[in-house]
């Protein structure tokens, strides 16, 4: 029987789709596997068993199998290098953890918040937890959901936080709130006020507009805020007026004609109709008319255009002139120039938020799904449009023909905008920031985003497609001069299972590589490895005893919320951390004496089935009883050991093929006779069920095992048309596989 040797020197492309089993001609075939579970893919090409998790905290929440999506969601809050936090969102509450600088930066629960500083219960329902969008800077985290008012999670001390309602800045006289406004009314609908100041003014619309939900909402009319206090019917409401319904005109906005009592008034977008009553003040004399001939109550005699109308003065001008000083116009007459506040319980609230180029950006309310708002430069609470100067706020729409709901914004090379149907961006400029006059929204790709928050990674921005079946990278292509959205999960679509959350680490867990993690709704984690400079990228899958439920990275550390049976048939949420010193999941180091480990009740209920590892020695499986584990029958000298739930690393090769002089061996009966593994720092490994558990040379069981580095040969049996090799282990110890060579007989 002839034999050939087939090397597998790397697994750069990770676990690939079963549909690729016939692509023996592709380069990816010899650099991938049919299954990679609970491994890190390394930049050198090999794989290393993932870290176990250390259990830090048990949440009060009980897992509901019938509830959808995230029930407890963790996100990072980073104030400084040594003051870092984890924020956990759940229905109607927020839990805050500090990475305690006084205790080796171990997580410590410091607060449970259920209401804001106004005494209002937190509005997050379980279904909305996955949709919360946030942006954090310094000691404030802004929280957005299109059905909830904007909130601020504010750090008030090293171990104290509070939730505050977001409040827009007010004008110096306290009359105007510098918030966004919008014309929600149909074209041509006018609004009149029975007064220009004071309380109890009657508002009259020319068409049905008001509903009961308008009570408490502000309208803006000619520079004044009108707070609706009651709604009589669709066309009539009562309001309190802050300040005066009045507009400041430009300097010298008046023009006279010799011999005429008509005065032209330049009043941009006045919205007035003929015969409207107005009151003028601060006008100076012009064209032979005294100020008294102009100031006071006047009537609009004629409307020239949307920016100019005529009034009748108290006398006729003697000369034709332009002037009038700095007049103001007060009027409650019917006008088309009125607006309603953009954010309210009636119109909804922003769905997302970010910081970009010194501004706070909001986007995507229910009433304005494709709108984007930016604060004044370096003034995050002022959204007054003003006169459109460079430092004033920005209001623009991403609507380019479709009704896209904006879901995310990411500050990267440009301001990137992700909607339910497309991807956009607001271009930045090399020599100048985005301003009201330069801001524009450009549509790029047509895929749409899910509610998973996108994030920058390895030169691109990764986002989950709205179908929740693919992950794409949004990156600017110099070749095309535009952004492209490349599907990075094309080779491994079966690993993308309706992701609910994304987290990234860059050079963490004692590894130089960068990884992106996606929590699937089935409790697994799809792990993406990328090294763009060398065109390497691949996927693996992690699972656990229970479910991975949420995930976040805090600097170089990776935390998860896991759902596990505590041993008493109750599924609980646990805050855990991936930690290289933990050989298992939900793991901790416990102490005791004479082989009896105590104090397990903080992590396990009686009846929990656990594994025990002491140093580099696996002691076996045990059942927790009386909050203890007794390993004395195996080793009565044990005084400390790790207790947890084991997870199984597994790498299964694609069908091993080869080429001979007459062609490929594809489909022929053949068998793998031997497998040589290139191992590094390995304590236990198995090949097709055959174990190698490292012992010391002296077999002195009192000594710790020494991890094996080098080549190890295994012999296997069996013919197949698609021979494969499975690398795994039966005990929870260290394992790293650099590569392998198989001898194939045919």
């Amino acid at each position: 029987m002839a034999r050939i040797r087939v090397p597998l020197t790397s697994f750069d492309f990770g676990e690939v789709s079963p549909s690729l089993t016939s692509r023996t001609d592709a380069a990816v075939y010899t650099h991938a596997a049919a299954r990679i579970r609970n491994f890190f893919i390394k930049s050198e090409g090999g794989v290393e068993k993932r870290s176990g998790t250390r259990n830090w905290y048990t949440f009060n929440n009980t897992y509901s199998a019938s509830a959808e999506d995230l029930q407890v969601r963790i996100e990072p809050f980073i104030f400084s290098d040594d003051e870092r936090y984890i924020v956990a969102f759940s229905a109607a509450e927020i839990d805050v953890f500090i990475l305690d600088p006084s205790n080796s930066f171990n997580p410590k629960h410091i607060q449970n918040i259920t209401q804001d500083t106004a005494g209002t219960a937190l509005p997050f329902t379980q279904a909305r937890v996955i949709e919360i969008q946030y942006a954090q800077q310094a000691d404030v985290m802004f929280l957005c959901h299109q059905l909830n008012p904007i909130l601020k999670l504010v750090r008030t001390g090293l171990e104290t936080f509070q939730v505050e309602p977001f409040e827009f800045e007010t004008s110096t006289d306290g009359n105007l709130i510098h918030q966004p406004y919008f014309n929600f009314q149909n074209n041509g609908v006018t609004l009149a006020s029975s007064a220009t100041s004071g309380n109890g003014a009657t508002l009259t619309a020319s068409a049905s507009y008001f509903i009961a939900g308008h009570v408490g909402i502000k309208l803006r009319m000619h520079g004044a805020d009108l707070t609706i206090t009651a709604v009589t019917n669709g066309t009539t409401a009562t309001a309190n007026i802050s300040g005066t319904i009045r507009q400041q005109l430009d300097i010298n906005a008046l023009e006279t004609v010799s011999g005429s009592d008509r005065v032209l008034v330049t009043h941009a977008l006045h919205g007035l109709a003929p015969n409207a009553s107005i009151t003028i003040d601060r006008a100076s004399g012009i064209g032979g008319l005294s100020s008294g001939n102009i100031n006071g109550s006047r009537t609009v005699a004629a409307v020239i255009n949307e920016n100019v109308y005529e009034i009748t003065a108290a006398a006729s001008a003697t000369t034709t002139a332009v002037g009038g000083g700095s007049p103001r116009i007060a009027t409650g007459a019917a006008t088309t120039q009125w607006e309603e506040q953009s954010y309210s319980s009636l119109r909804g609230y922003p769905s997302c938020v970010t910081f970009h180029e010194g501004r706070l950006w909001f986007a995507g309310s229910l009433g304005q799904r494709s709108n984007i708002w930016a604060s004044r430069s370096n003034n995050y609470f002022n959204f007054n449009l003003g006169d459109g100067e460079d430092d004033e706020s920005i209001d623009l729409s991403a609507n380019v023909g479709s009704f896209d709901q904006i879901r995310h914004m990411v500050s990267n090379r440009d301001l990137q905008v992700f909607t339910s149907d497309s991807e956009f961006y607001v271009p930045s400029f090399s020599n100048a920031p985005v301003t009201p006059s330069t801001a524009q929204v450009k549509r790029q790709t047509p895929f749409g985003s899910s509610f998973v928050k996108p994030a920058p990674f390895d030169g691109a921005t990764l986002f989950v497609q709205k179908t929740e079946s693919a992950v794409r990278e949004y990156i600017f292509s110099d070749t095309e001069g535009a952004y492209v959205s490349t599907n990075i999960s094309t080779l491994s679509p079966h690993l993308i299972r309706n992701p609910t959350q994304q987290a990234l680490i860059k050079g963490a867990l004692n590894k130089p590589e960068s990884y992106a993690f996606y929590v699937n709704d089935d409790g697994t984690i799809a792990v993406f490895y990328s090294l763009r400079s060398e065109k390497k990228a691949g996927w693996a899958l992690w699972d656990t005893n229970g479910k991975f439920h949420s995930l976040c990275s805090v600097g170089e550390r990776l935390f998860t919320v896991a759902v596990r049976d505590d041993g008493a048939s109750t599924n609980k949420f646990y805050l855990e951390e991936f930690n290289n010193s933990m050989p298992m999941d939900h793991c901790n180091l416990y102490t005791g004496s004479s082989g009896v480990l105590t104090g397990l009740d903080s992590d396990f209920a009686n009846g929990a089935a656990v594994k025990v590892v002491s140093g580099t020695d696996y002691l076996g499986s045990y059942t927790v009883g009386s909050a203890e584990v007794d390993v004395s029958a195996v080793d009565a000298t044990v005084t400390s050991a790790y207790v947890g739930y084991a997870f199984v690393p597994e790498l299964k090769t694609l069908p091993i093929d080869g080429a001979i002089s007459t062609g490929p061996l594809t489909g022929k009966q053949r068998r793998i006779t031997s497998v040589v593994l290139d191992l590094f720092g390995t304590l236990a490994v198995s090949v097709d069920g055959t174990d190698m558990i490292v012992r010391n040379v002296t077999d002195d069981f009192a000594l710790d095992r020494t991890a094996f580095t080098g080549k190890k040969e295994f012999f296997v049996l069996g013919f197949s048309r698609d021979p494969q090799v499975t690398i795994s282990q039966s005990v929870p110890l260290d394992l790293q596989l650099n590569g392998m060579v198989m001898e194939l007989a045919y």
Side-chain angles (χ1 to χ4, degrees), residues 21-74:
T21 53
S22 290
R23 290 302 309 276
T24 58
D25 61 317
V28 65
Y29 194 90
T30 55
H31 295 271
R35 190 177 180 90
I36 298 182
R37 303 296 163 93
N38 294 311
F39 279 109
F40 278 111
I41 302 173
K42 298 182 63 64
S43 57
E44 298 92 337
V47 294
E48 180 182 2
K49 181 183 174 183
R50 72 164 172 88
S51 311
T53 64
R54 179 173 181 177
N55 183 35
W56 287 112
Y57 180 80
T58 304
F59 289 92
N60 292 327
N61 315 59
T62 300
Y63 173 72
S64 172
S66 61
E68 298 178 358
D69 302 322
L70 290 175
Q71 297 171 52
V72 177
R73 172 185 172 186
I74 54 174

Side-chain angles (χ1 to χ4, degrees), residues 397-409:
S397 175
N399 195 337
V400 289
S402 60
F403 202 54
D404 294 359
Q405 169 67 58
I406 296 177
R407 289 181 171 172
H408 312 280
M409 292 183 293

Side-chain angles (χ1 to χ4, degrees), residues 55-296:
N55 183 35
W56 287 112
Y57 180 80
T58 304
F59 289 92
N60 292 327
N61 315 59
T62 300
Y63 173 72
S64 172
S66 61
E68 298 178 358
D69 302 322
L70 290 175
Q71 297 171 52
V72 177
R73 172 185 172 186
I74 54 174
E75 297 290 355
F77 188 114
I78 300 176
F79 178 75
S80 65
D81 286 345
D82 59 354
E83 295 179 23
R84 300 183 175 197
Y85 305 84
I86 299 169
V87 178
F89 299 97
S90 55
E93 61 184 328
I94 297 175
D95 287 286
V96 184
F97 301 82
I98 185 174
L99 303 187
D100 190 359
S102 65
N103 184 24
S104 303
F105 296 96
N106 293 330
K108 180 177 76 171
H109 185 265
I110 56 174
Q111 259 185 298
N112 175 263
I113 304 172
T114 58
Q115 62 183 22
D116 63 24
T117 52
T120 304
L122 298 187
F124 315 131
T125 63
Q126 185 276 315
R128 297 177 192 175
V129 167
I130 189 175
E131 299 173 1
I132 295 170
Q133 297 297 323
Y134 68 90
Q136 185 252 320
Q137 189 175 93
D139 56 3
V140 179
M141 175 183 279
F142 296 92
L143 305 174
C144 284
H145 187 283
Q146 60 185 2
L147 297 177
N148 301 147
I150 306 166
L151 295 175
K152 299 186 301 177
L153 177 63
V154 181
R155 175 188 179 273
T156 57
L158 179 63
E159 295 190 8
T160 55
F161 283 73
Q162 64 187 30
V163 174
E164 302 173 5
F166 179 92
E167 295 182 355
F168 291 99
E169 187 177 285
T170 58
S171 59
T172 54
D173 60 10
N175 288 329
L176 298 179
I177 296 179
H178 296 320
Q179 63 181 329
Y181 287 83
F182 184 69
N183 303 106
F184 290 104
Q185 70 273 21
N186 294 328
N187 288 337
V189 175
T190 63
L191 183 71
S193 174
S194 64
T196 58
S197 62
N199 295 334
T202 299
L203 305 182
T204 304
S206 63
S208 183
Y209 180 79
F210 299 113
I211 62 173
H214 273 107
V215 174
I217 287 176
K218 293 183 183 297
L219 306 182
R220 179 157 290 181
M221 181 179 179
H222 292 322
D225 282 355
L226 291 66
T227 304
I228 299 174
T229 57
V231 173
T232 304
N233 52 49
T235 59
T236 309
T238 304
N240 295 337
I241 303 172
S242 299
T244 303
I245 302 176
R246 179 169 53 201
Q247 285 184 292
Q248 176 68 56
L249 302 187
D250 291 339
I251 300 296
N252 297 328
L254 307 181
E255 181 178 353
T256 60
V257 177
S258 178
S260 173
D261 62 354
R262 296 292 182 92
V263 177
L264 286 173
V265 181
T266 300
H267 183 172
L269 300 175
H270 54 78
L272 298 174
N275 300 316
S277 296
I278 65 174
T279 300
I280 303 176
D281 70 344
R282 294 187 179 179
S284 60
I286 175 178
L289 296 175
S290 67
S291 60
N293 295 141
I294 301 172
N295 289 325

Side-chain angles (χ1 to χ4, degrees), residues 1-21:
M1 179 172 283
R3 302 170 185 263
I4 58 173
R5 292 173 63 82
V6 180
L8 288 180
T9 57
S10 77
F11 304 96
D12 293 333
F13 290 101
E15 178 176 328
V16 295
S17 168
S19 299
L20 286 169
T21 53

Side-chain angles (χ1 to χ4, degrees), residues 51-57 544 564 574-577 579 581-590 603-604 610-613 641-647 732:
S51 311
T53 64
R54 179 173 181 177
N55 183 35
W56 287 112
Y57 180 80
T544 188
R564 305 186 190 280
Y574 299 93
L575 177 67
E576 303 178 6
E577 179 183 6
N579 187 305
S581 65
M582 297 293 126
M584 296 168 289
D585 286 342
H586 193 70
C587 186
N588 262 314
L589 182 66
Y590 296 91
D603 297 321
F604 304 97
V610 297
K611 309 287 187 182
V612 181
V613 172
Y642 291 102
V643 179
Y645 298 127
F647 59 92

